């Protein structure tokens, strides 16, 4: 599979077709690489494809998969997802985070403006702003000191969630665990995360809540309220580990309406560089047929959204960055168009779409409004290295260094 499995799977599917059944050790894995196959899995048969496989690394790091993204399909998942969607990720709630987003994107612009070096690492500037927005709305405080360290741990968590160890699929290779160092990293990260989240929860518990306006509550406040309501009411209890697991998946993720070109640029960026190229693995819970092939219950499912978004049968000049293509079509990434699903679709589709795209578009709008950008040392745009790094989420491998100059008009 190599470091970039979406690329290896794409070349395999070019030879063997858009629906392949692979065997990772003993585990059957169905790989979908066409929009028809993706529609079949995420829409027509969504219910029986809505579970997640139990994988040992997420289980250890995410409190036995008590987070929304890795929890198996069922009542527990339905309950915590609805808390996230209703209280944290709805359009109304995202609008209430708007002030934080405005302030942090303006602060990013000011930092860039006052930088004396002239050459800016844009990748890190945007990542740091996104981390600050997410820290503020989730934890109620900004990155700094201990939290900076926390962002390093989160980066390591993200990397570990993307590791697919051989011993996961081939049990007799489990002796390798003693030598590959993965277990040690998992234990270190799990401990550091737990200590940090414990302290955040404790701080929120002892903090006096003044006449708090509902909109000022952060994610942890809301989850603690949910915990209290469940203790007093008839619902089943929500313990601290559940709260920690839910916070983690939120953090890890990290008058625009009229700006059509800007929206087209967002779509084109997500088409060419979806942060989760293979989405999040699913698991089939019932025997079925997909595009005429029999698939047995328990099969894992990967959807190569990256390959579908570059399929030459669906896209003209698919490798070219050409935002204008979206000015002439209504295709978007909200889960209804299976040629573009960077956020997945159906029951397990990403509930953070509005949150993510609002921050992204606001940051982009402020950057292009305030600055002109050039690549340093006369490098041409076609020469820019856009290689990807490995992990659960895909990042640009090398920093994006740019020379900025303030716009005068
Ligand atoms: C550009 C940014 C983002 C991308 C590309 C993205 C993409 C995805 C994808 C592909 C999935 C799996 C979908 C599927 O299986 O069909 C997912 C799930 C999820 N995402 Fe996002 N996401 C982003 C940002 C966010 C943000 C900011 C949040 C929260 C604040 C978030 C919260 C979640 C959650 C909770 C799930 C699990 C849903 C479930 O399994 O029920 N995401 N995301």
């Amino acid at each position: 599979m190599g470091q970039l499995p979406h690329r290896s799977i794409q070349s395999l599917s070019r030879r063997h077709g858009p629906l392949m059944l692979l065997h990772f050790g003993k585990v059957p894995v169905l790989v979908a690489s066409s929009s028809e196959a993706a529609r079949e899995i995420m829409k027509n048969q969504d219910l029986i494809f809505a579970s997640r496989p139990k994988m040992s690394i997420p289980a250890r790091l995410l409190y036995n998969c008590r987070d929304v993204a890795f929890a198996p399909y069922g009542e527990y998942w339905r309950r915590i997802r609805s808390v996230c969607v209703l209280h944290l990720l709805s359009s109304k709630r995202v609008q209430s985070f708007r002030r934080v987003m405005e302030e942090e994107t303006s602060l990013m612009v000011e930092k860039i403006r006052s930088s004396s070096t002239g050459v800016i690492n844009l990748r890190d500037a945007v990542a740091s702003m996104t981390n600050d927005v997410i820290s503020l709305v989730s934890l109620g405080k900004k990155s700094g000191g201990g939290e900076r360290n926390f962002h390093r741990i989160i980066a390591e968590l993200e990397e570990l969630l993307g590791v697919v160890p051989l011993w996961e699929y081939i049990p007799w290779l489990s002796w390798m665990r003693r030598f590959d160092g993965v277990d040690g990293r998992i234990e270190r990260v799990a401990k550091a995360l737990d200590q940090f989240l414990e302290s955040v929860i404790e701080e929120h518990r002892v903090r006096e809540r003044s006449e708090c306006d509902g909109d000022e509550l952060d994610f942890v406040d809301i989850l603690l309220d949910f915990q209290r309501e469940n203790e007093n009411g008839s619902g089943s209890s929500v313990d601290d580990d559940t709260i920690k697991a839910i916070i983690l998946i939120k953090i890890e993720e990290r008058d625009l309406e009229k700006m059509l070109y800007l929206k087209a640029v967002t779509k084109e960026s997500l088409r060419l560089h979806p942060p989760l190229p293979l989405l999040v693995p699913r698991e089939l819970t019932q025997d079925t047929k997909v595009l005429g092939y029999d698939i047995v219950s328990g099969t894992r499912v990967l959807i190569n959204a990256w390959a579908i978004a570059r399929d030459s049968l669906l896209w003209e000049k698919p490798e070219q960055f050409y935002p204008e293509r979206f000015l002439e079509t209504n295709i978007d990434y909200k889960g209804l168009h299976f040629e573009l699903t960077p956020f997945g679709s159906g029951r397990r589709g990403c509930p953070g779409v509005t949150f993510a795209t609002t921050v992204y578009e606001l940051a982009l709008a402020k950057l292009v409004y305030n600055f002109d950008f050039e690549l340093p040392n006369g490098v041409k745009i076609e020469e820019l290295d856009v290689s990807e790094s490995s992990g659960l989420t895909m990042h640009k491998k090398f920093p994006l260094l740019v020379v900025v100059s303030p716009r005068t008009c």
Side-chain angles (χ1 to χ4, degrees):
M1 280 295 148
Q3 291 286 306
L4 301 171
H6 53 285
R7 287 186 182 266
S8 346
I9 288 176
Q10 183 195 41
S11 37
L12 269 183
S13 73
R14 280 188 173 145
R15 264 182 285 151
H16 302 288
L19 200 65
M20 296 185 295
L21 186 66
L22 306 178
H23 285 271
F24 293 0
K26 287 191 161 170
V27 183
V29 181
L30 182 73
V31 184
S33 307
S34 73
S35 60
E36 293 78 39
R39 180 194 305 273
E40 197 55 30
I41 291 163
M42 295 194 283
K43 182 166 184 248
N44 300 350
Q45 304 198 47
D46 185 36
L47 181 59
I48 57 171
F49 279 105
S51 203
R52 303 280 190 212
K54 185 135 189 183
M55 297 181 289
S56 54
I57 296 183
R60 177 65 188 98
L61 291 170
L62 300 170
Y63 301 88
N64 204 18
C65 296
R66 274 193 264 175
D67 64 294
V68 187
F70 287 90
Y73 183 72
E75 190 43 41
Y76 171 78
W77 163 80
R78 204 172 292 118
R79 217 154 51 90
I80 54 170
R81 177 159 169 134
S82 83
V83 176
C84 288
V85 171
L86 272 174
H87 300 294
L88 301 154
L89 297 169
S90 64
S91 302
K92 186 164 164 260
R93 195 72 203 163
V94 171
Q95 281 311 315
S96 78
F97 297 145
R98 184 81 191 201
R99 185 183 54 79
V100 173
M101 294 177 184
E102 288 279 359
E103 281 174 12
E104 293 309 312
T105 46
S106 296
L107 212 63
M108 173 185 70
V109 167
E110 282 323 306
K111 275 191 204 153
I112 294 178
R113 203 189 294 284
S114 60
S115 157
S116 49
T117 61
V119 178
I120 300 291
N121 181 338
L122 202 56
R123 184 192 68 178
D124 289 358
V126 173
S128 156
M129 180 276 295
T130 315
N131 281 338
D132 286 346
V133 170
I134 292 185
S135 292
L136 275 166
V137 300
S138 323
L139 311 176
K141 58 183 180 181
K142 200 130 134 216
S143 304
E147 287 74 40
R148 280 259 176 266
N149 189 25
F150 181 62
H151 288 310
R152 263 202 304 278
I153 306 168
I154 287 292
E156 204 167 343
L157 166 77
E158 227 176 73
E159 207 185 304
L160 282 169
L161 290 177
V163 171
V164 184
L166 270 180
W167 40 261
E168 173 98 34
Y169 295 97
I170 308 173
W172 62 266
L173 286 179
S174 61
W175 57 268
M176 287 172 82
R177 294 182 76 142
R178 273 180 281 147
F179 304 103
D180 65 8
V182 175
D183 275 347
R185 283 175 71 198
I186 294 172
E187 288 315 311
R188 189 169 44 76
V189 170
K191 198 164 160 213
L193 280 173
D194 191 62
Q195 276 171 357
F196 180 79
L197 294 172
E198 195 70 54
S199 71
V200 169
I201 292 180
E202 214 34 55
E203 270 171 36
H204 280 71
R205 280 216 174 98
V206 296
R207 195 176 64 188
E208 284 286 315
R209 273 221 209 141
S210 53
E211 308 281 295
C212 258
D213 170 354
D215 285 354
E216 295 295 315
L217 297 180
D218 62 49
F219 195 58
V220 182
D221 289 324
I222 293 168
L223 289 172
L224 286 172
D225 283 349
F226 178 67
Q227 185 181 50
R228 263 177 240 119
E229 278 159 27
N230 274 269
E231 270 165 14
N232 304 332
S234 55
S236 50
S237 73
V238 175
D239 65 11
D240 283 6
D241 281 357
T242 303
I243 293 189
K244 290 177 203 164
I246 300 175
I247 302 172
L248 266 185
I249 207 68
K250 161 130 173 141
I251 293 172
E252 190 242 315
E253 293 304 311
R254 338 184 180 195
D255 291 305
L256 295 162
E257 281 317 310
K258 298 197 185 97
M259 298 177 143
L260 294 180
Y261 192 76
L262 184 112
K263 286 185 176 294
V265 169
T266 311
K267 286 180 189 172
E268 185 67 338
S269 312
L270 286 165
R271 182 185 72 81
L272 280 172
H273 306 288
L276 287 154
L278 296 173
L279 308 185
V280 178
R282 293 177 177 228
E283 190 172 84
L284 175 63
T285 49
Q286 201 178 294
D287 290 356
T288 190
K289 257 189 197 309
V290 177
L291 305 182
Y293 294 97
D294 291 321
I295 315 291
V296 296
S297 175
T299 299
R300 279 190 196 183
V301 182
L302 298 176
I303 294 167
N304 197 345
W306 177 89
I308 298 171
R310 289 170 182 242
D311 184 342
S312 57
L313 297 173
L314 300 167
W315 304 93
E316 216 171 294
K317 300 197 178 129
E319 301 294 327
Q320 198 178 319
F321 183 80
Y322 179 61
E324 289 79 1
R325 69 175 86 238
F326 287 107
L327 298 177
E328 292 143 22
T329 146
N330 65 353
I331 293 180
D332 78 9
Y333 41 63
K334 301 254 170 79
L336 297 174
H337 301 101
F338 292 86
E339 54 275 64
L340 185 68
T341 57
F343 295 98
S345 175
R347 287 173 174 75
R348 297 309 292 244
C350 177
V353 187
T354 313
F355 187 102
T357 49
T358 306
V359 183
Y360 180 81
E361 286 173 353
L362 199 56
L364 190 61
K366 289 202 180 173
L367 287 172
V368 295
Y369 180 77
N370 284 285
F371 304 108
D372 285 323
F373 297 92
E374 263 179 290
L375 293 172
N377 309 319
V379 175
K380 295 202 187 75
I381 192 78
E382 310 81 64
E383 294 163 3
L384 183 69
D385 188 338
V386 288
S387 310
E388 306 142 350
S389 65
S390 57
L392 176 71
T393 49
M394 186 168 74
H395 297 278
K396 197 172 165 307
K397 191 167 181 182
F398 304 107
L400 176 58
L401 299 178
V402 289
V403 181
V404 290
S405 44
R407 291 188 73 160
T408 42
C409 57

